[in-house]
Amino acid sequence: MDKKIIAVVGATGSQGGGLARAILADTNGEFACRAITRDPSKEAAKALAASGADLVQADLDDVESLKKAFAGAYGAYCVTNFWEHFSGDKEKAQARNLAEAAKAAGLKHVIWSTLEDTRALMSADDKRMPFLQEKYRVPHFDAKAEADAHFAGLPVTLLVTSFYWDNLYAFGLGPKKGEDGTYGWVFPMGDKRLAGIAAEDIGKVAYGIFKAGSKYIGKTVGIASEFLTMDEMSAALTKKLGVSVKYNAVDADAYRGFGFPGADELGNMFQVYRDFEKEVVGARSADVTRELNPSTLSFDQWLDKYKSKIAL
Ligand SMILES: NC(=O)c1ccc[n+]([C@@H]2O[C@H](COP(=O)([O-])OP(=O)(O)OC[C@H]3O[C@@H](n4cnc5c(N)ncnc54)[C@H](OP(=O)(O)O)[C@@H]3O)[C@@H](O)[C@H]2O)c1
């Protein structure tokens, strides 16, 4: 029997990579992986091809290339990478291209990797955090949420993702060594819980959604593995890394002023996680996440697997 093709955008990255590897690992499964990349010669693409993926070149900025890449597929995993350009408007334009290509190809199931619109959580005259890029509170959340509308009319599952624990090694957000030899990390999170997950598990959950057939079409699925305070995460890091890790809560304005690229954006994002803990946690279900991917790692399990990547 011919396998149903899933066109995986971002296959060389974290989310799409997790999905591509999940499809390829399930050799008796009903799906085949079409891995989409701008550069089939890169190592991550070649590794997928070596595991059996069909590589197809396409660019999110080029809708015609996406139409070709989606043609003949059953489904597509659609993700955009805000952090490559830091522009909410560009992210929306790329999402519009994805949706247009999905419609042109007549796909049977599309997963759009999205986040919530944080502007809905506070009134427009709320002064607790600045607007960024004129109209967003957290551009990489709000732009994705706005882009949900582009997928209307498609057989779509809106997948609301969570903070990757992998940011601790891949995004410079891990604990830093202080002068006294202990490790510290700073967030404007107060004592509130952060919705977290291993990046690889997002793709595995997406695979579960495709495998479930029509069950999640037309649905929004919010996922996270665990909801942990920074003190709880610090205690786990201390135990697993064998060094003392202490969390320092700072004010969101102070964090926004740190000056690294994206500090204002992340300051707003962590403040949303802090000030709207109930809403953010409530929009995600660890139970549904585990139903869709029973092997979803806990933070302790994630540390066992990835702690050597955290630079000390
Ligand atoms: N970090 C977090 O905690 C977190 C949490 C939730 C959501 N997110 C969201 O996750 C998104 C990024 O996903 P990720 O972490 O899986 O990405 P990633 O690991 O940084 O990799 C980026 C992927 O996007 C592809 N890509 C980027 N621009 C493209 C373009 N113009 N045309 C075609 N492909 C393009 C790249 O493919 P090629 O380079 O091979 O072409 C690559 O596969 C961001 O928008 C972010 O907001 C992140």
Side-chain angles (χ1 to χ4, degrees), residues 74-132:
Y74 160 86
Y77 187 74
C78 294
V79 59
T80 47
N81 186 11
F82 173 86
W83 300 104
E84 190 167 308
H85 47 70
F86 288 70
S87 162
D89 288 355
K90 181 159 177 157
E91 190 161 36
K92 279 190 296 187
Q94 292 182 332
R96 194 181 54 233
N97 285 344
L98 285 166
E100 190 180 326
K103 279 176 197 152
L107 298 184
K108 303 282 188 294
H109 194 173
V110 177
I111 297 179
W112 163 232
S113 173
T114 190
L115 288 162
E116 55 265 75
D117 195 329
T118 63
R119 295 166 297 188
L121 298 168
M122 56 204 118
S123 64
D125 59 1
D126 193 313
K127 299 276 185 287
R128 79 181 75 202
M129 66 179 69
F131 278 95
L132 301 175

Side-chain angles (χ1 to χ4, degrees), residues 8 43 78 92 112 121 157 168 198 200 219 249 259 266 304:
V8 182
E43 284 310 315
C78 294
K92 279 190 296 187
W112 163 232
L121 298 168
T157 303
L168 271 62
E200 186 80 7
K219 301 273 188 328
L266 289 182
D304 287 338

Side-chain angles (χ1 to χ4, degrees), residues 8-18 36-40 42 44-45 57-62 65-66 77 79-85 90-91 94 98 112-115 139-141 144 160-167 170-171 173 195 197 199 202 265-266 269 273 284:
V8 182
V9 175
T12 60
S14 299
Q15 296 188 24
I36 296 173
T37 174
R38 288 164 293 183
D39 178 9
K42 71 200 289 188
Q57 191 168 15
D59 192 318
L60 293 173
D61 297 322
D62 175 357
S65 74
L66 291 174
Y77 187 74
V79 59
T80 47
N81 186 11
F82 173 86
W83 300 104
E84 190 167 308
H85 47 70
K90 181 159 177 157
E91 190 161 36
Q94 292 182 332
L98 285 166
W112 163 232
S113 173
T114 190
L115 288 162
H140 73 284
F141 275 57
K144 287 185 182 68
V160 179
T161 64
S162 288
F163 181 87
Y164 310 168
W165 293 322
D166 306 71
N167 294 330
F171 214 70
L173 294 181
I197 193 164
I202 296 176
E265 167 108 23
L266 289 182
M269 180 190 81
Y273 271 109
R284 292 157 173 81

Side-chain angles (χ1 to χ4, degrees), residues 167-189:
N167 294 330
L168 271 62
Y169 64 81
F171 214 70
L173 294 181
K176 310 274 182 305
K177 194 173 187 174
E179 281 169 10
D180 64 354
T182 64
Y183 287 77
W185 56 346
V186 175
F187 296 101
M189 283 288 298

Side-chain angles (χ1 to χ4, degrees), residues 65-311:
S65 74
L66 291 174
K67 285 181 186 170
K68 285 188 201 129
F70 286 179
Y74 160 86
Y77 187 74
C78 294
V79 59
T80 47
N81 186 11
F82 173 86
W83 300 104
E84 190 167 308
H85 47 70
F86 288 70
S87 162
D89 288 355
K90 181 159 177 157
E91 190 161 36
K92 279 190 296 187
Q94 292 182 332
R96 194 181 54 233
N97 285 344
L98 285 166
E100 190 180 326
K103 279 176 197 152
L107 298 184
K108 303 282 188 294
H109 194 173
V110 177
I111 297 179
W112 163 232
S113 173
T114 190
L115 288 162
E116 55 265 75
D117 195 329
T118 63
R119 295 166 297 188
L121 298 168
M122 56 204 118
S123 64
D125 59 1
D126 193 313
K127 299 276 185 287
R128 79 181 75 202
M129 66 179 69
F131 278 95
L132 301 175
Q133 300 175 29
E134 292 169 12
K135 51 185 177 292
Y136 305 113
R137 296 288 195 175
V138 185
H140 73 284
F141 275 57
D142 302 345
K144 287 185 182 68
E146 262 191 56
D148 292 355
H150 293 312
F151 293 88
L154 279 160
V156 68
T157 303
L158 301 177
L159 182 64
V160 179
T161 64
S162 288
F163 181 87
Y164 310 168
W165 293 322
D166 306 71
N167 294 330
L168 271 62
Y169 64 81
F171 214 70
L173 294 181
K176 310 274 182 305
K177 194 173 187 174
E179 281 169 10
D180 64 354
T182 64
Y183 287 77
W185 56 346
V186 175
F187 296 101
M189 283 288 298
D191 61 357
K192 299 295 190 277
R193 292 169 294 161
L194 181 65
I197 193 164
E200 186 80 7
D201 281 331
I202 296 176
K204 290 186 180 178
V205 169
Y207 187 48
I209 290 172
F210 280 123
K211 280 196 300 184
S214 60
K215 182 171 177 194
Y216 293 99
I217 290 178
K219 301 273 188 328
T220 296
V221 181
I223 61 166
S225 170
E226 284 190 286
F227 307 97
L228 299 172
T229 65
M230 303 318 291
D231 280 334
E232 288 168 336
M233 291 178 76
S234 302
L237 284 161
T238 298
K239 188 175 72 184
K240 298 283 183 186
L241 296 177
V243 297
S244 170
V245 176
K246 190 173 180 314
Y247 159 58
N248 299 304
V250 286
D251 188 68
D253 278 334
Y255 193 94
R256 281 186 279 271
F258 284 165
F260 62 85
D264 49 359
E265 167 108 23
L266 289 182
N268 283 11
M269 180 190 81
F270 287 120
Q271 189 177 359
V272 165
Y273 271 109
R274 183 191 73 188
D275 293 0
F276 301 99
E277 180 199 36
K278 204 169 70 146
E279 291 84 349
V280 174
V281 169
R284 292 157 173 81
S285 164
D287 290 341
V288 170
T289 304
R290 283 190 171 70
E291 267 168 43
L292 287 161
N293 173 33
S295 68
T296 297
L297 299 177
S298 65
F299 187 53
D300 272 356
Q301 290 168 328
W302 178 85
L303 277 169
D304 287 338
K305 196 162 175 188
Y306 294 98
K307 65 182 175 194
S308 63
K309 291 183 175 240
I310 300 175

